[in-house]
Amino acid sequence: MSEENRRFLLAERPTGPVDEKTYDLVKEPVPSIADGEALVKVKWISIDPTNRTWIGEEPTYLPPVAIGEVMRGLGLGEVVESKNENFPVGALVNGLTGWQDYTVVSDAMPLMLVPPEVKADPATLLGTLGMTGCTAYFGMTEIGEPKEGETVVVSAAAGAVGSIAGQIAKLKGARVVGIAGGPKKCAWLVDQLGFDEAVDYKADDWRKQLKDATPDGIDVDFENVGGEIMEAVFARLNKDARVALCGLISGYNDTEPPPGPRSFGNLLINRVKLQGFIILDYYPRFGEAIGQLSEWVGEGKIRSEQTVVEGFERLPDALNMLFAGENTGKLVVNIED
Ligand SMILES: NC(=O)c1ccc[n+]([C@@H]2O[C@H](COP(=O)([O-])OP(=O)(O)OC[C@H]3O[C@@H](n4cnc5c(N)ncnc54)[C@H](OP(=O)(O)O)[C@@H]3O)[C@@H](O)[C@H]2O)c1
């Protein structure tokens, strides 16, 4: 066991992307545990757009990380010492570990123990078979509810949630159009993941591409981005369409909220159902989603991609990678040096 616990503590709230002033990297002693607790050595950290929303001034669905507090984050680690029989030494733990080498866990915390029979690499456990996959699963199957032959549009489609959400919609028999940045990601969606079409929102003619890719309009919007992209998708929603409002990443680094979508009236005219959702609310049902996703992965019906960053000290840079589109699929950091 290494003798120190590296931790990223929030030093200052950023006004745009995180920078060298946002966090203090400190080295503290490895914590000791009391009865009912277990010590987890964190090995992999999941990088999620919501990390950025947690360090703003305003509360979101969780209170902001306080100045001086360890950066909140999801991770995967192994129990290395235990005074709680529910967390035996050697067990793999998936949950809010924070950006640190060691964390103390107890029954009071919403953590998943990875069943020993689940054999998957860490990025898949944090991604397709973790919170990411559950977000795609519940958002698409219970809010988007695509039906055979309907047109589904997924934004940030080459990212962690979007790539899985689009493949689920294909499994439900829908025609799936992904929106992503750049020809390489668009080709990957169509050639490797089986999306029907892809729209490159970084191309000058992206609005025309969207129109051409959705000649019959849009029945389901799995919305990950917001801003201009959402506005253009909203304008093409059909009667009785559904919007699974998953994320609004285009605004997370902004200090001012974006202007409202000018096409909002189309939701009224077309009786569209829009529902925001936060995956934490589905936590008691994660087993259900992970069971189905594992089956699909095992059958080769869902493919996962991952972008791995090496090194604990690169955690803040990795967070910025999400906003620059430098990841394909799930972004994780391997912190075992
Ligand atoms: N509701 C929930 O409970 C929940 C849970 C998990 C995630 N989410 C949301 O789901 C969305 C995707 O999350 P993720 O973890 O799967 O991340 P991700 O999609 O793997 O990474 C973010 C991607 O967003 C795209 N992006 C970044 N800035 C953009 C911009 N200004 N305009 C258009 N695209 C932009 C980039 O792809 P390109 O290269 O294509 O630009 C980037 O790769 C986020 O909005 C996140 O907040 C919500």
Side-chain angles (χ1 to χ4, degrees):
M1 192 186 301
S2 71
E3 284 162 12
E4 58 189 22
N5 185 20
R6 293 170 300 174
R7 312 179 85 203
F8 273 107
L9 308 183
L10 184 64
E12 182 179 296
R13 299 197 187 282
T15 51
V18 302
D19 60 27
E20 66 285 351
K21 291 190 286 212
T22 307
Y23 299 104
D24 286 329
L25 174 53
V26 299
K27 294 177 180 175
E28 295 179 359
V30 176
S32 48
I33 53 170
D35 283 344
E37 294 180 338
L39 183 68
V40 170
K41 168 83 178 77
V42 186
K43 299 184 171 189
W44 293 77
I45 303 270
S46 168
I47 303 295
D48 299 287
T50 197
N51 293 150
R52 179 62 186 81
T53 72
W54 291 336
I55 54 176
E57 198 73 58
E58 299 299 325
T60 54
Y61 55 95
L62 289 176
V65 177
I67 299 295
E69 198 179 353
V70 71
M71 177 59 191
R72 186 185 295 139
L74 289 160
L76 185 73
E78 184 182 338
V79 177
V80 289
E81 196 186 327
S82 183
K83 293 183 181 175
N84 180 332
E85 60 187 18
N86 295 329
F87 295 101
V89 170
L92 275 186
V93 171
N94 192 344
L96 280 173
T97 57
W99 288 11
Q100 55 192 344
D101 284 313
Y102 290 93
T103 187
V104 175
V105 302
S106 69
D107 291 331
M109 298 161 75
L111 293 158
M112 291 190 287
L113 278 189
V114 179
E117 64 276 13
V118 175
K119 303 283 178 223
D121 59 85
T124 304
L125 291 173
L126 287 169
T128 309
L129 302 183
M131 183 277 291
T132 298
C134 291
T135 304
Y137 180 82
F138 288 116
M140 187 55 84
T141 61
E142 301 212 346
I143 301 175
E145 291 188 286
K147 297 176 191 63
E148 189 90 30
E150 285 190 329
T151 299
V152 174
V153 168
V154 180
S155 52
V161 172
S163 58
I164 306 300
Q167 292 179 84
I168 293 172
K170 279 302 297 176
L171 287 168
K172 300 288 174 189
R175 191 171 163 278
V176 180
V177 176
I179 304 178
K184 198 168 158 209
K185 285 189 179 182
C186 287
W188 177 69
L189 290 174
V190 175
D191 300 342
Q192 304 295 321
L193 300 193
F195 281 49
D196 295 281
E197 305 236 14
V199 171
D200 176 2
Y201 78 90
K202 290 187 174 164
D204 291 340
D205 67 343
W206 70 270
R207 289 170 194 277
K208 180 173 183 307
Q209 286 186 35
L210 179 66
K211 190 172 170 213
D212 292 348
T214 57
D216 301 324
I218 296 169
D219 302 296
V220 176
D221 171 24
F222 193 100
E223 186 56 54
N224 282 323
V225 169
E228 281 192 316
I229 293 176
M230 182 177 76
E231 182 174 84
V233 170
F234 275 10
R236 300 193 59 71
L237 290 172
N238 289 333
K239 182 159 179 294
D240 298 320
R242 285 83 63 202
V243 178
L245 183 53
C246 178
L248 297 166
I249 191 170
S250 65
Y252 293 173
N253 272 323
D254 295 345
T255 42
E256 291 298 317
R262 287 168 296 184
S263 50
F264 196 64
N266 190 38
L267 275 68
L268 168 64
I269 292 159
N270 274 322
R271 295 80 151 172
V272 172
K273 187 169 93 177
L274 178 150
Q275 188 181 330
F277 69 102
I278 295 295
I279 196 58
L280 286 181
D281 298 343
Y282 291 85
Y283 180 69
R285 294 178 59 199
F286 271 25
E288 187 187 318
I290 292 171
Q292 176 63 83
L293 288 161
S294 307
E295 212 176 294
W296 282 333
V297 169
E299 293 167 353
K301 291 179 176 166
I302 285 204
R303 298 182 60 173
S304 312
E305 182 65 45
Q306 44 196 250
T307 302
V308 178
V309 171
E310 297 287 340
F312 186 87
E313 69 292 342
R314 295 193 61 205
L315 280 161
D317 295 340
L319 180 52
N320 284 336
M321 285 172 67
L322 289 176
F323 299 94
E326 288 171 15
N327 66 306
T328 298
K330 182 71 202 168
L331 180 60
V332 291
V333 179
N334 176 6
I335 65 164
E336 275 197 302
D337 303 328

